[in-house]
Amino acid sequence: MKAVTWQGKQDMQVKEVPDAVIEERTDIVVEVTSTGLCGSDLHLYDPLTPFMAAGDVVGHEPMGIVREVGSAVTTLEPGDRVVVPFNISCGTCWMCTRGLQSQCETTQNRDTGTGASLFGYSKLYGQVPGGQAELLRVPFGDTLPIKVPHGPTDDRFLFLSDVLPTAWQAVEYADVEPGGTLAVVGAGPIGDMAARIALHRGLRVIVVDSMRERLARVHGRGAETIDFTEVDGVGDAIRQLTDGRGADGVIDAVGMEAHGSPVAETAQKALGLLPKKVQEKVMLNVGADRLAALLSAIDGVRRGGTISISGVYGAPTDPLPMFELFDKQVQIRMGQANVRRWSDDILALLEKDEDVLGVESFATHHLPLDDAPEAYRKFRDKEDGMVKVVFRP
């Protein structure tokens, strides 16, 4: 089968790899019909390269048609249409039954000290072959895949794999009361979708970014916007719009891809000069993130408000303004999305006749799998108006 493989820093290649097959009685094999390119994939493209091995199959936003089921699978059969969540959860352990599927105890990676395994996401998270491929082996066939109806286009359901539950959880964790104000830092796919969900719930939404195309997208849905390159400070700009108080909740939808720290950027580049084993230890034990987005969120939230972090951070010792957080009595919630915790609620919304969240027009680019290497580069460089890419294997 064809698959997008990591071959080195900033080197994604489409290769022929062995077909995905049933390995356990509870597995299914899915023929992938659509699969997304995620901002988190860019972390593998560059910052998280110490944990990648040449040939790793990437991608964690797939959907498709069930082609084969293991002998123990009872709820699916060949021909069913499914979306595959990005985190691999068993659905039955202590964590899963409490809605914490991203911490699944069956697939936790205890050797690296990380949570549930993820499709296509380095040995930090299990080194499981990913979904930017023609076929995908999916474990826990009775509890992990999300069965969706035939009929609507793939884009109606594809974003159940990651974008929708991640954005949904971000809004839930921000905990803004009806009629309140939510600020979203970052208008990439997660920030954009979080804004749409919050607007659908009747919240006032302020979105911060510097890309005019992205700000125009969310403004068209009803959000107010701030171009951070045109203001002296994000926090001050948010306060000017909120009677000097700040937003009730702020979502950091950017994470470690934020630009704003030359020191951190230099540290990340220097990391690449070290031997790979040393790189791994440094990444796990030393701070090397760019914190501009998070610092803006801390500045822009009101006293007693909540910060919801959905952007990925990778370093354990980054300094934070603890006095400011304590003095402002800020609550912080964060983490990988617990996809199956929210998927039924989201699916009920997607099955309505009206495309409430605009998912069918959400992707800006639909490309063949062979275009993946160039798409990674363009997505990283924010070229060609690229906000969300969907590959069609």
Side-chain angles (χ1 to χ4, degrees):
M1 67 178 188
K2 280 185 180 179
V4 182
T5 65
W6 185 92
Q7 298 295 336
K9 183 178 179 179
Q10 298 181 21
D11 184 12
M12 297 295 189
Q13 298 180 25
V14 178
K15 296 281 191 180
E16 293 282 337
V17 301
D19 285 353
V21 297
I22 299 290
E23 296 179 11
E24 303 287 342
R25 297 172 59 244
T26 53
D27 290 348
I28 65 171
V29 171
V30 175
E31 180 182 340
V32 178
T33 55
S34 292
T35 183
L37 172 57
C38 177
S40 296
D41 291 325
L42 295 183
H43 301 156
L44 307 180
Y45 195 59
D46 197 345
L48 293 183
T49 55
F51 301 98
M52 298 296 289
D56 281 352
V57 177
V58 296
H60 58 268
E61 298 184 346
M63 70 171 291
I65 305 299
V66 177
R67 289 305 178 212
E68 189 177 357
V69 300
S71 60
V73 176
T74 61
T75 59
L76 292 173
E77 58 186 27
D80 284 340
R81 191 185 194 193
V82 295
V83 176
V84 182
F86 75 95
N87 43 29
I88 304 172
S89 56
C90 69
T92 56
C93 71
W94 191 91
M95 287 289 183
C96 285
T97 56
R98 285 158 178 79
L100 293 168
Q101 288 88 349
S102 67
Q103 310 303 322
C104 174
E105 292 182 327
T106 304
T107 70
Q108 261 182 39
N109 294 278
R110 293 172 176 81
D111 54 338
T112 55
T114 56
S117 292
L118 309 178
F119 285 104
Y121 215 76
S122 85
K123 70 178 182 182
L124 262 183
Y125 286 97
Q127 209 163 20
V128 181
Q132 288 177 9
E134 293 178 316
L135 297 170
L136 178 68
R137 181 184 76 89
V138 180
F140 311 113
D142 281 330
T143 53
L144 179 60
I146 305 165
K147 186 176 179 180
V148 298
H150 289 277
T153 65
D154 275 9
D155 283 23
R156 175 61 74 104
F157 302 113
L158 174 63
F159 305 114
L160 270 172
S161 57
D162 183 351
V163 174
L164 277 165
T166 297
W168 192 278
Q169 179 172 293
V171 175
E172 290 280 344
Y173 280 10
D175 196 29
V176 177
E177 294 182 356
T181 299
L182 174 71
V184 181
V185 181
I190 302 302
D192 186 330
M193 187 57 74
R196 296 179 187 213
I197 292 166
L199 288 164
H200 175 68
R201 296 184 181 189
L203 301 181
R204 180 191 182 192
V205 179
I206 302 168
V207 179
V208 181
D209 203 288
S210 64
M211 302 294 294
R212 292 189 177 183
E213 300 94 337
R214 296 185 176 195
L215 290 173
R217 272 170 60 104
V218 294
H219 181 71
R221 302 287 303 189
E224 299 167 62
T225 60
I226 295 172
D227 183 336
F228 67 75
T229 66
E230 297 180 354
V231 298
D232 292 332
V234 170
D236 287 339
I238 292 174
R239 281 186 287 275
Q240 286 176 9
L241 296 173
T242 54
D243 299 322
R245 187 175 296 119
D248 300 302
V250 182
I251 293 173
D252 173 359
V254 179
M256 65 181 172
E257 287 301 304
H259 301 289
S261 173
V263 173
E265 189 166 355
T266 299
Q268 288 183 350
K269 289 178 179 177
L271 187 66
L273 303 177
L274 300 173
K276 195 159 186 177
K277 284 293 183 184
V278 178
Q279 289 182 42
E280 293 178 11
K281 292 180 180 179
V282 171
M283 285 288 287
L284 289 175
N285 294 288
V286 178
D289 285 337
R290 305 163 182 166
L291 299 179
L294 181 55
L295 295 176
S296 293
I298 294 169
D299 189 19
V301 71
R302 68 163 168 82
R303 292 178 179 274
T306 301
I307 295 173
S308 171
I309 304 174
S310 61
V312 175
Y313 286 94
T317 59
D318 289 315
L320 289 175
M322 294 305 298
F323 173 77
E324 183 179 5
L325 289 166
F326 178 82
D327 181 64
K328 290 179 73 171
Q329 199 170 332
V330 173
Q331 301 178 77
I332 301 177
R333 298 193 71 183
M334 67 187 86
Q336 300 277 12
N338 303 298
V339 175
R340 286 308 246 137
R341 165 67 179 83
W342 316 110
S343 58
D344 289 348
D345 291 339
I346 301 170
L347 183 58
L349 198 60
L350 298 179
E351 289 180 328
K352 292 180 178 294
D353 291 338
E354 181 187 359
D355 184 5
V356 177
L357 298 175
V359 292
E360 291 187 350
S361 58
F362 187 70
T364 54
H365 294 70
H366 292 85
L367 303 170
L369 204 61
D370 287 335
D371 288 357
E374 182 68 1
Y376 268 81
R377 186 195 64 77
K378 286 185 175 181
F379 187 38
R380 179 201 61 188
D381 296 338
K382 299 181 175 66
E383 293 181 3
D384 196 24
M386 194 171 278
V387 177
K388 187 61 184 179
V389 178
V390 173
F391 297 122
R392 295 277 168 77

